[in-house]
């Protein structure tokens, strides 16, 4: 079975406060890929709370984003409906690292499902936003927890905070034995 991790394809990173033209152009491509994907889907959701996270290094550096109960925290409706239809599992997080969950312990579910071979894993794919921050950290998290599995970042389904940092992050992932491919190659 193939597994797809969609990282932080949230409104604030697409059209909102931290959005970009590249992220907006990426959204329909991710939607098309998900429509054709045969396998299990997990997606991360960055979420911050004014009560808990206001002094965090992330909110200090980037300002308020993906605040709980806001439209900016949500996935775009077309993608959200598609993920629900595919019974995708949401993994909430409040930092760059996916292990810093603060709601349901869904990363433990991911770890258990993958490491205890609940699935006959053939490939693990990663896509989303931002290549040089959360995609990079998610891919490295997976590499550290799944040292024997094939992990592939779909470079045309990712966007970084700049084209240069996108490319540099892809190089870092490759140096950590994470494959980097175009989505049409899988």
């Amino acid at each position: 079975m193939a597994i797809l991790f969609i990282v932080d394809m949230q409104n604030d990173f697409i059209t909102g406060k931290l959005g970009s033209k590249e992220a907006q152009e990426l959204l329909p491509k991710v939607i098309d890929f998900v429509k054709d994907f045969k396998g299990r889907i997990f997606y991360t959701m960055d979420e911050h709370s004014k009560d808990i996270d206001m002094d965090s290094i992330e909110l200090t550096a980037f300002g308020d984003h993906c605040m709980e109960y806001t439209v900016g925290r949500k996935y775009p409706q077309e993608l959200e409906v598609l993920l629900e239809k595919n019974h995708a599992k949401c993994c909430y997080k409040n930092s760059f690292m996916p292990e810093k969950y603060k709601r349901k312990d869904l990363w433990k579910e991911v770890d258990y499902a993958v490491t205890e071979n609940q699935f006959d894993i053939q490939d693990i794919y990663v896509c989303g936003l931002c290549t040089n921050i959360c995609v990079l950290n998610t891919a490295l998290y997976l590499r550290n927890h799944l040292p024997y599995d094939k992990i592939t970042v779909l470079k045309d389904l990712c966007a970084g905070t700049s084209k240069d940092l996108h490319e540099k992050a892809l190089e870092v992932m490759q140096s950590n034995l994470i494959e980097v491919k175009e989505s049409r190659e899988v």
Side-chain angles (χ1 to χ4, degrees), residues 45-62:
M45 185 171 288
D46 194 31
E47 181 180 75
H48 301 283
S49 165
K50 287 189 185 262
D51 298 331
I52 300 170
D53 301 323
M54 290 313 290
D55 293 331
S56 72
I57 192 167
E58 183 176 343
L59 290 184
T60 301
F62 301 124

Side-chain angles (χ1 to χ4, degrees), residues 9-27:
M9 288 293 297
Q10 295 165 262
N11 290 324
D12 271 352
F13 296 127
I14 299 170
T15 57
K17 187 173 189 174
L18 300 173
S20 68
K21 178 182 163 213
E22 290 81 13
Q24 291 169 31
E25 292 170 355
L26 183 66
L27 179 60

